[in-house]
Amino acid sequence: MDVDVVVIGAGAVGLALAAAFARSGRDTLVLEAADGIGTGTSSRNSEVIHGGMYYPTGSLRHRMCVEGRRKLYAYLEARRVPHQKRGKLIVATSDTETRKIEGIHATGLRNDVENLQLIAGAEAMAWEPNLFCTAALWSPETGIVDSHLYMLALQGEIEDNGGMLVFETPVTRIEPVKGGGFDVTTGGAEPATISCRRLVNSAGLGAHAVARRIEGYRADLIPKLVLAKGNYFGCAGRPAFTRLIYPAPVEGGLGVHVTMDLAGRIKFGPDVEWLSTNNPAEVDYTVDPRRADAFYAAIRRYWPGLQNGVITPDYSGCRPKLSGPGEPVADFHIDGPELHGIEGLVNLFGIESPGLTSSPAIADEVLKRIAN
Ligand SMILES: Cc1cc2nc3c(=O)[nH]c(=O)nc-3n(C[C@H](O)[C@H](O)[C@H](O)COP(=O)(O)OP(=O)(O)OC[C@H]3O[C@@H](n4cnc5c(N)ncnc54)[C@H](O)[C@@H]3O)c2cc1C
């Protein structure tokens, strides 16, 4: 074998995986189609370290988020990666929404999320003078991270432990070898075939296409892919909030929320724009300025003082969802040999939010499935 482990994709999840393999002493190679780390969804998100109170108890999203958050904070501390535990208020502006946030609180308690607290609207408004709400759920464990510096730290760790990353190297074909292992063929300027014992498909939006290129992989085990774009708007002027502010969640997303970068500059989003294509290459990441009207309406429910003309189209990301509008929300897929019967192979599908937060836990889970 050329290497022990090949990880396809150098996003936050692929890098966390490769770092975990390299840390455990395995010869690890990351193959990435783009010309650098984190050019996919990992640089098109809210950079929020989620608490874990939204997801059905016992689901992978719940377990990976709570465990991932704890591990992520420890990693960021140890590696001195900039992050801030600013805390988040999930706010209700009606009785229906109050019932929703009470439901999130109950799920959070079942999910073992630390220090959640239901507070009166007046108290939340005293903390954040620009806020309007009738009740709020306070999550002090929620934070923000510089996701690029997190990924750079992971890259450094992979390389320090003897691992390698190769860019502009799209995986075009995977052949399971009799007796174990894989031949992985790559395109790009210098096509090659690399043999490895273990293979992880962490190609994000491209994971479905990669799985289809695995010789003999059962097509019925590849879940459907549904794309939902999330648009962001920036906000001019002095930051109106110091904590993350989220409304009650909506179908397909957590609602147009207020988050901020580490310098305190606030932004709004993402909304949920279901796309008619399921081809990631066809996603247009331009933010349509006409969406501003819906943003103003959504934001003014909890920030009535928002002036006209202060929000401007910023960036967007795209969720690799496994379920569409009106369908039960799909969980993460960490599909190992117990599902498909191919030793040494894990396919990751549907790693949308909270994938960044979950990345260290997903890495450990994948190791459990194929490290031995
Ligand atoms: C709008 C939005 C907001 C979000 N907000 C948050 C948040 O606040 N907090 C949070 O925890 N999570 C959030 N997420 C989720 C999080 O961003 C993702 O779960 C995470 O970034 C996924 O990382 P990844 O490594 O799986 O995928 P990616 O970052 O997309 O990386 C996949 C990589 O695979 C490469 N690739 C694809 N095909 C091939 C191939 N054939 N050969 C080689 N390489 C290939 C791609 O070039 C890419 O670099 C959000 C997601 C979205 C869309």
Side-chain angles (χ1 to χ4, degrees):
M1 296 286 164
D2 294 325
V3 289
D4 187 348
V5 185
V6 163
V7 174
I8 304 170
V13 176
L15 292 169
L17 269 158
F21 275 115
R23 204 181 294 139
S24 73
R26 292 172 197 279
D27 194 13
T28 303
L29 175 66
V30 180
L31 300 176
E32 168 55 54
D35 60 2
I37 60 168
T39 63
T41 308
S42 297
S43 56
R44 297 176 166 277
N45 59 61
S46 302
E47 300 190 295
V48 171
I49 302 172
H50 284 294
M53 52 279 191
Y54 292 103
Y55 317 108
T57 307
S59 64
L60 278 172
R61 285 170 103 198
H62 152 222
R63 293 193 294 111
M64 297 297 105
C65 184
V66 172
E67 187 187 318
R69 166 172 52 78
R70 294 172 186 155
K71 289 178 171 167
L72 183 58
Y73 276 126
Y75 187 84
L76 301 175
E77 288 291 331
R79 295 255 155 186
R80 298 174 191 272
V81 177
H83 64 286
Q84 294 167 357
K85 212 187 252 194
R86 282 185 175 245
K88 137 171 159 180
L89 287 164
I90 308 176
V91 298
T93 57
S94 67
D95 289 347
T96 315
E97 289 179 359
T98 301
R99 283 191 291 279
K100 266 194 186 177
I101 66 167
E102 285 169 353
I104 298 168
H105 182 224
T107 308
L109 295 179
R110 276 197 308 276
N111 288 4
D112 204 19
V113 179
E114 305 84 342
N115 305 320
L116 288 175
Q117 199 189 343
L118 279 170
I119 61 173
E123 188 174 352
M125 292 193 298
W127 292 0
E128 294 285 359
N130 286 307
L131 179 66
F132 168 78
C133 66
T134 51
L137 176 60
W138 170 233
S139 165
E141 297 305 314
T142 304
I144 50 175
V145 57
D146 183 324
S147 56
H148 201 74
L149 291 182
Y150 168 50
M151 290 189 279
L152 270 178
L154 292 168
Q155 176 179 6
E157 201 190 355
I158 295 164
E159 291 171 342
D160 287 350
N161 285 309
M164 257 179 70
L165 295 93
V166 191
F167 299 114
E168 297 177 323
T169 307
V171 170
T172 53
R173 186 180 146 83
I174 297 158
E175 207 177 327
V177 176
K178 273 209 183 85
F182 306 87
D183 283 335
V184 180
T185 303
T186 60
E190 291 176 46
T193 298
I194 300 140
S195 61
C196 61
R197 188 165 301 284
R198 298 159 228 272
L199 180 71
V200 188
N201 169 9
S202 182
L205 290 162
H208 291 68
V210 167
R212 285 194 294 272
R213 291 174 196 143
I214 304 173
E215 198 70 16
Y217 195 82
R218 275 174 48 198
D220 62 307
L221 294 181
I222 303 175
K224 74 168 176 180
L225 175 63
V226 182
L227 300 180
K229 192 173 156 187
N231 299 281
Y232 291 85
F233 278 72
C235 185
R238 278 170 53 115
F241 302 100
T242 58
R243 298 166 183 80
L244 306 176
I245 310 289
Y246 279 55
V250 297
E251 187 181 49
L254 298 182
V256 169
H257 46 262
V258 180
T259 178
M260 57 271 305
D261 61 20
L262 293 162
R265 279 183 300 263
I266 64 173
K267 62 190 173 200
F268 298 101
D271 61 359
V272 181
E273 181 185 350
W274 296 101
L275 300 183
S276 53
T277 178
N278 72 350
N279 179 356
E282 288 175 5
V283 178
D284 175 0
Y285 285 98
T286 317
V287 176
D288 183 348
R290 287 172 300 187
R291 300 186 82 79
D293 290 347
F295 269 72
Y296 277 114
I299 299 161
R300 282 192 177 126
R301 289 176 63 88
Y302 55 82
W303 182 15
L306 174 65
Q307 303 284 315
N308 279 331
V310 297
I311 68 167
T312 46
D314 199 345
Y315 65 98
S316 73
C318 185
R319 307 170 178 92
K321 285 186 174 290
L322 306 181
S323 51
E327 294 174 353
V329 179
D331 201 1
F332 289 163
H333 273 226
I334 303 179
D335 291 350
E338 69 294 337
L339 177 81
H340 50 64
I342 305 173
E343 281 310 313
L345 174 70
V346 172
N347 282 309
L348 299 176
F349 298 115
I351 311 296
E352 51 149 328
S353 193
L356 176 64
T357 310
S358 304
S359 53
I362 294 175
D364 289 347
E365 181 67 26
V366 169
L367 251 75
K368 258 190 242 158
R369 309 245 184 137
I370 58 167
N372 296 316

